Amino acid sequence: MSMNGADLIVDTLIKNGVKYVFQLPGGKLGPLLMALKKREKEIEVVMVRHEQNAGFMAQGIGRITGRPGVVMTTSGPGALNLVTPLATATSDGDPVLAISGQVPQAKLLTPYPQNPNISGVMNDSTVTKYAKEIEDTGARAMDESAAKAIQAFVRKTGIPVVETFEATGLLTHEFNENYVGRVGLFNNLPGDELVYNSDLVITLGLNLVEYWASVWNSDKKTVVDIDIVVDHLDETFIPDTLVLGNIAKNLKNITKTISEQDITDEWKSTVHTLQEKLLMKKQVPKTISSDSLHPLEIVSSLQKVIDKHPDTTVVMDGGSHEVWMGSYLNVYRPKHFLMSDGQQTLGVGLPWAISAAFLRPNEKILSSGGDGSFMFSSQELATVAHYKLNIVQVIWVDKEYNMVEFQQELDYQGQEEGVDIDYIGYKEMAESYGIKASRVHSKEALDAALIEAYRTTEPMVIEVIEDNKQNIHLRDKDELKKY
């Protein structure tokens, strides 16, 4: 059977194990769609409502599987709508293969419709690794084999551990005595104090976009970097020892060569002090609103359901809610906590949840977003409804772009501008798509809604009315002290 170029592309995708292609149709994509139709039993075409969201969905596949997710668009604006998701994927280190249609060759570089210089735009190193091919995966220590190797190393050494936000899920309950929480973003958590007080730091697949060394290495600590690539080097990040190669294998070999040991009593005391501090920061204040939820109440409800259903994949959109979740929510499986810590892109949450739902149809996908970030990709509720995906979407409603608002207030003497959001009925929006939904004003109501959501594999939206008065304190930072 003769094959044209589109057939060859689809055949190559199938041979490389691609199961899903996310796309929004367009004229210049026609040949590829027809080639996909011929092979529809081997590869599924998922139609979305916006190319940007298709790109995020492909990134979600890359984040979870470590293999490139595939997005296809038409030429012109269709391809240009991929700039944000590709830049996000490049910054976060997630493999994505983007394929766009193009105008006839004779019309290239002419005033022809839908004919921008796509390759020129995409060749920017902040957007893609290469215009035609992604070579490096990301989240380099964030897989099952690396997680097991890290756990074995911690078990044998007794060393205290912190996670970056994107590394959430590497440690199980077994390591609660070693774990001191997360680091990064505002650099004001107990985990940041632990690193600050360390004289030796072992980094495993560290993406410096999450945790710049200038924050924690001003005193020139001894640094051992175990990775598959050499990350950005500057005066604050020049590892004393660099171990390049497969992280899991190298760490496993290192663990074999060392004897059973433990940290000093002094260090144990420091770790205990910081763990107690972390627990205190997670406590819901005694005085709370009667008609809205404190952020820590929401985190507490979500933690309860995750502890009961540990296979849950948690997907974070950008915003202040992301800081509460990233700082205080515990997830105990790798690649089951997804967030964009590089670009902190708004709108990634629901598309990533859709990707996770296709890959993990028998597991609940818990997607969390603020009312601001959720509206960037809310149209994909139509995709959720069409495919009846096993997703519960939690929307934190405070009627503001609050992450921007509280930083404006801190930086401009209490002034804020351009951050208010008109309220719409998110419950009614979801119901208009045929998705079951509820609106909650109390923790008891949220707990009940989550129980209901987990009783079924049907999608559900939970609109949570949030009291955001405490969000301004997310950036509070005492001077880091040596213990």
Side-chain angles (χ1 to χ4, degrees):
M1 182 181 70
S2 63
M3 302 178 73
N4 60 27
D7 292 321
L8 289 170
I9 290 172
V10 172
D11 187 62
T12 301
L13 294 177
I14 292 171
K15 287 179 177 178
N16 281 277
V18 174
K19 301 297 183 184
Y20 303 100
V21 170
F22 300 92
Q23 63 87 38
L24 194 150
K28 306 304 186 296
L29 199 56
L32 275 168
L33 293 177
M34 293 304 102
L36 284 163
K37 186 173 181 63
K38 297 176 190 176
R39 310 289 293 274
E40 59 186 2
K41 292 183 179 179
E42 301 166 88
I43 189 168
E44 183 169 358
V45 177
V46 180
M47 188 183 75
V48 306
R49 269 61 184 180
H50 196 290
E51 290 96 352
Q52 177 169 292
N53 297 326
F56 288 142
M57 292 174 199
Q59 183 189 3
I61 296 288
R63 172 70 62 87
I64 294 170
T65 67
R67 297 176 62 84
V70 179
V71 55
M72 291 183 180
T73 73
T74 190
S75 60
L80 293 177
N81 279 335
L82 292 180
V83 170
T84 297
L86 290 180
T88 301
T90 296
S91 180
D92 288 347
D94 298 318
V96 174
L97 174 63
I99 302 172
S100 77
Q102 184 55 290
V103 301
Q105 287 189 346
K107 303 298 183 182
L108 290 173
L109 304 179
T110 70
Y112 192 79
Q114 296 191 344
N115 188 22
N117 182 5
I118 296 171
S119 62
V121 172
M122 298 303 181
N123 261 313
D124 188 300
S125 62
T126 63
V127 178
T128 64
K129 294 284 187 182
Y130 296 96
K132 293 183 180 180
E133 181 178 336
I134 302 294
E135 289 191 350
D136 294 322
T137 57
R140 302 183 293 268
M142 191 55 179
D143 59 47
E144 292 283 354
S145 59
K148 290 179 180 178
I150 291 168
Q151 291 167 16
F153 180 77
V154 174
R155 195 178 291 119
K156 198 167 187 180
T157 62
I159 196 170
V161 182
V162 296
E163 299 170 325
T164 61
F165 282 28
E166 288 190 7
T168 300
L170 287 174
L171 299 178
T172 65
H173 290 281
E174 176 189 348
F175 301 95
N176 286 347
E177 291 187 4
N178 307 84
Y179 182 64
V180 195
R182 315 259 159 74
V183 295
L185 203 54
F186 294 129
N187 309 306
N188 59 357
L189 294 172
D192 294 291
E193 290 189 57
L194 178 78
V195 179
Y196 182 78
N197 279 277
S198 299
D199 54 8
L200 166 67
V201 175
I202 302 173
T203 61
L204 300 165
L206 175 64
N207 185 347
L208 288 172
V209 73
E210 288 195 87
Y211 202 37
W212 278 98
S214 57
V215 172
W216 51 267
N217 197 31
S218 59
D219 57 349
K220 309 298 183 186
K221 306 175 189 304
T222 299
V223 175
V224 176
D225 184 34
I226 303 175
D227 211 330
I228 61 171
V229 296
V230 179
D231 214 321
H232 176 80
L233 301 179
D234 62 20
E235 65 276 8
T236 60
F237 192 77
I238 301 177
D240 297 85
T241 302
L242 180 62
V243 182
L244 285 179
N246 184 286
I247 293 173
K249 289 183 179 179
N250 282 334
L251 190 56
K252 186 176 180 180
N253 289 331
I254 291 170
T255 304
K256 284 181 181 178
T257 65
I258 59 179
S259 59
E260 295 276 352
Q261 51 192 286
D262 202 357
I263 61 174
T264 65
D265 289 340
E266 182 182 3
W267 251 113
K268 286 181 180 178
S269 176
T270 298
V271 170
H272 180 73
T273 297
L274 294 173
Q275 288 172 332
E276 289 292 320
K277 188 171 184 178
L278 180 61
L279 285 175
M280 290 295 295
K281 290 174 77 72
K282 294 172 70 170
Q283 296 300 313
V284 177
K286 293 181 179 178
T287 304
I288 55 176
S289 171
S290 60
D291 60 354
S292 57
L293 282 84
H294 187 284
L296 287 174
E297 288 187 285
I298 304 174
V299 173
S300 174
S301 291
L302 298 180
Q303 186 69 68
K304 184 190 300 183
V305 78
I306 290 166
D307 288 344
K308 191 172 181 179
H309 305 275
D311 287 340
T312 297
T313 299
V314 180
V315 183
M316 300 297 306
D317 217 321
S320 54
H321 73 99
E322 176 187 36
V323 187
W324 290 105
M325 297 275 281
S327 299
Y328 303 119
L329 189 76
N330 290 326
V331 177
Y332 299 102
R333 292 190 61 189
K335 293 187 182 294
H336 279 64
F337 186 92
L338 313 182
M339 66 177 291
S340 174
D341 207 20
Q343 295 293 336
Q344 300 171 12
T345 306
L346 300 185
V348 299
L350 187 54
W352 284 3
I354 290 170
S355 304
F358 276 111
L359 291 172
R360 299 168 177 167
N362 298 320
E363 300 178 13
K364 182 65 73 178
I365 312 301
L366 197 160
S367 177
S368 172
D371 47 358
S373 59
F374 172 72
M375 288 302 292
F376 273 64
S377 51
S378 62
Q379 65 269 41
E380 299 306 335
L381 285 178
T383 304
V384 173
H386 178 79
Y387 292 97
K388 295 182 173 57
L389 299 175
N390 191 8
I391 294 172
V392 53
Q393 173 68 55
V394 178
I395 308 171
W396 303 45
V397 178
D398 63 6
K399 297 182 285 188
E400 293 163 339
Y401 288 108
N402 180 253
M403 185 81 154
V404 179
E405 182 199 35
F406 76 70
Q407 295 194 77
Q408 284 185 352
E409 291 179 358
L410 290 170
D411 294 337
Y412 302 103
Q413 295 77 49
Q415 299 182 87
E416 50 90 0
E417 178 60 41
V419 294
D420 294 329
I421 300 174
D422 291 332
Y423 173 75
I424 63 173
Y426 301 98
K427 174 180 181 291
E428 290 75 16
M429 172 197 283
E431 291 171 339
S432 75
Y433 286 103
I435 297 174
K436 192 169 186 177
S438 64
R439 180 182 296 118
V440 302
H441 296 261
S442 69
K443 186 177 187 305
E444 293 74 20
L446 176 56
D447 288 338
L450 288 167
I451 290 171
E452 182 180 3
Y454 272 77
R455 283 178 180 152
T456 176
T457 59
E458 295 289 316
M460 184 171 177
V461 169
I462 304 175
E463 177 185 340
V464 182
I465 308 304
E466 176 201 359
D467 177 5
N468 68 9
K469 295 185 184 67
Q470 298 302 312
N471 289 4
I472 196 168
H473 297 297
L474 286 172
R475 213 178 74 172
D476 287 353
K477 185 174 182 179
D478 296 328
E479 183 179 351
L480 295 176
K481 300 176 182 177
K482 287 287 185 181
Y483 286 92

